[in-house]
Amino acid sequence: MKVIKVLLAITFVTIIIVSCLGEKKKNESALANSPQEKLYAVFDDSNNLVRPKDYRSWVFMGTASTPKSQDPNVIFPDFQNVYVDPVSFTYWKIHGEWREGTIIVKELLRQGDTVSSVGHGFFQGAHFEVAASVKDSKRFPTMHNGWNYFGFADFKKLKLNETSIPLGAQCAGCHNNNAIDGDVFYQYYPVMLAAKGYGDGNPENENTRPGLVEDYQHYKAIKEYIKNMKTQK
Ligand code: HEC
């Protein structure tokens, strides 16, 4: 009798756990596929992007910096902090693709201090620019995969504008030629690589995926790996 009671209890608990997991999965995909899913990119009637606000509470993709001390010819010698809207991040985790409406914000910060208590290096300084890229194939049918680009700083007036015209080819050329999918440089964002299912595991979920490469300095290796994944599908 006691054994039956224990078995019943185990079955009951298992059912609850399985149904909770199922519910979580359902919610995630409902969020990513629902036509009412929240869009964070807001446009005015002339296809100008309204300056995104509160992006610092979105998902942080990573930071890049190309200091002039490493290369005097660099065109962006500052820090670039990159954020993606949270619904698009969830979609990315499930599908490994960018959803229509994805908005990515890159904020630029000057190099601040170069000395600290732990040694010499590069530390972030003053904020001075907000740029963004948005995937919207209906709005921008001639752009590669619908991605267009925006910048908000008025460097003469030293302020951020409230809207930006689509900057199109002046930004897109470099992204199209060099970004891993011709749009977003996610080869430099371990957060996004891990969420897509490769990279050296996803610390967010304490996952232990087999390592792709020993380090992320192997751009070509990552490209090759992705190509192989596609042909295996
Ligand atoms: C010469 C190449 C080049 C040009 C031109 C360029 N970008 Fe980028 N962009 C990059 C690289 C490399 C990264 C990734 C690393 C980083 O942040 O520097 C990047 C990252 C970004 C990101 C973050 C998402 C991503 O794709 O990684 C945004 C947003 C962005 N750029 C917007 C712009 C805008 C707006 C312009 C035009 C004003 C522009 N870019 C012009 C090379 C370029």
Side-chain angles (χ1 to χ4, degrees):
M1 196 61 193
K2 209 171 172 188
V3 174
I4 290 174
K5 267 189 189 161
V6 170
L7 279 178
L8 274 176
I10 290 173
T11 316
F12 187 58
V13 169
T14 312
I15 287 172
I16 288 181
I17 290 173
V18 167
S19 64
C20 283
L21 286 176
E23 195 56 34
K24 189 171 170 266
K25 247 208 142 68
K26 219 164 64 197
N27 287 343
E28 267 186 0
S29 32
L31 180 67
N33 295 319
S34 144
Q36 285 96 39
E37 66 200 11
K38 182 168 173 182
L39 291 171
Y40 288 75
V42 178
F43 288 91
D44 68 12
D45 294 342
S46 317
N47 275 352
N48 297 330
L49 181 68
V50 177
R51 181 157 53 84
K53 310 257 164 69
D54 296 328
Y55 60 84
R56 283 180 175 172
S57 55
W58 298 0
V59 175
F60 178 61
M61 284 169 58
T63 298
S65 177
T66 44
K68 278 207 186 288
S69 59
Q70 298 293 101
D71 175 358
N73 300 321
V74 291
I75 49 172
F76 303 120
D78 309 284
F79 280 99
Q80 288 125 44
N81 293 339
V82 179
Y83 301 85
V84 59
D85 77 80
V87 174
S88 299
F89 181 66
T90 303
Y91 188 93
W92 173 263
K93 286 211 283 192
I94 296 167
H95 301 279
E97 305 283 342
W98 305 109
R99 71 159 178 158
E100 285 294 325
T102 298
I103 174 168
I104 296 177
V105 168
K106 176 174 86 164
E107 59 167 11
L108 279 78
L109 288 90
R110 300 214 185 280
Q111 253 174 42
D113 286 334
T114 50
V115 185
S116 84
S117 50
V118 290
H120 294 256
F122 298 100
F123 299 89
Q124 302 196 346
H127 175 272
F128 71 96
E129 161 70 308
V130 172
S133 54
V134 176
K135 177 182 168 70
D136 191 329
S137 308
K138 282 214 182 98
R139 200 179 296 272
F140 305 116
T142 59
M143 298 299 292
H144 186 254
N145 289 327
W147 283 94
N148 215 326
Y149 301 82
F150 308 86
F152 293 90
D154 180 331
F155 291 109
K156 283 198 188 118
K157 293 188 188 147
L158 293 178
K159 68 178 199 46
L160 295 175
N161 294 322
E162 286 309 307
T163 58
S164 164
I165 55 162
L167 296 173
Q170 61 167 294
C171 306
C174 181
H175 280 245
N176 296 167
N177 291 331
N178 302 305
I180 196 161
D181 55 5
D183 305 306
V184 182
F185 285 89
Y186 69 84
Q187 66 261 36
Y188 303 132
Y189 309 124
V191 168
M192 305 309 284
L193 285 168
K196 194 179 163 84
Y198 40 73
D200 59 357
N202 189 351
E204 183 191 10
N205 298 332
E206 295 178 291
N207 206 332
T208 48
R209 294 193 182 100
L212 162 60
V213 285
E214 282 176 3
D215 202 347
Y216 287 114
Q217 292 169 2
H218 307 286
Y219 170 53
K220 280 206 181 107
I222 293 176
K223 242 186 154 165
E224 197 56 30
Y225 180 86
I226 290 168
K227 212 170 79 197
N228 290 341
M229 295 240 307
K230 277 192 186 142
T231 48
Q232 273 166 27
K233 265 188 191 169

